[in-house]
Amino acid sequence: MGKPALDLSKLTADEKLALIDDLWRILSSDDLSLSAELRAELDRRLDRLDLEGPIGVPWEDVRAEMTTDEP
């Protein structure tokens, strides 16, 4: 891959985010091919989410754990 025509280092953070958004929007499903194994794993996770609902740790708990001095 050659040097891009656009010097990305000169873009502001907002311009970089806008570029990422533009690139993401123009990707097609053909551009994002998944292996059969990965597709099966994603399907398994979606099925689990449908059954159990969203699970996880609340942000407040994560933040508290990150900011404590205890190991």
Side-chain angles (χ1 to χ4, degrees), residues 33-66:
S33 62
L34 300 175
S35 68
E37 182 179 81
L38 183 54
R39 184 170 299 281
E41 175 63 16
L42 292 173
D43 287 341
R44 183 191 67 76
R45 291 181 185 195
L46 286 172
D47 290 344
R48 182 176 174 191
L49 181 62
D50 287 342
L51 285 173
E52 300 175 6
I55 56 173
V57 178
W59 167 243
E60 294 78 18
D61 295 349
V62 173
R63 185 178 177 109
E65 186 175 322
M66 290 172 39

Side-chain angles (χ1 to χ4, degrees), residues 14-27:
D14 284 341
E15 291 169 331
K16 289 174 186 174
L17 290 170
L19 178 59
I20 290 168
D21 187 50
D22 289 344
L23 291 170
W24 186 252
R25 288 174 194 241
I26 63 172
L27 284 173

Side-chain angles (χ1 to χ4, degrees), residues 3-17 19:
K3 189 172 184 173
L6 176 62
D7 186 356
L8 301 175
S9 67
K10 296 193 187 290
L11 297 177
T12 66
D14 284 341
E15 291 169 331
K16 289 174 186 174
L17 290 170
L19 178 59

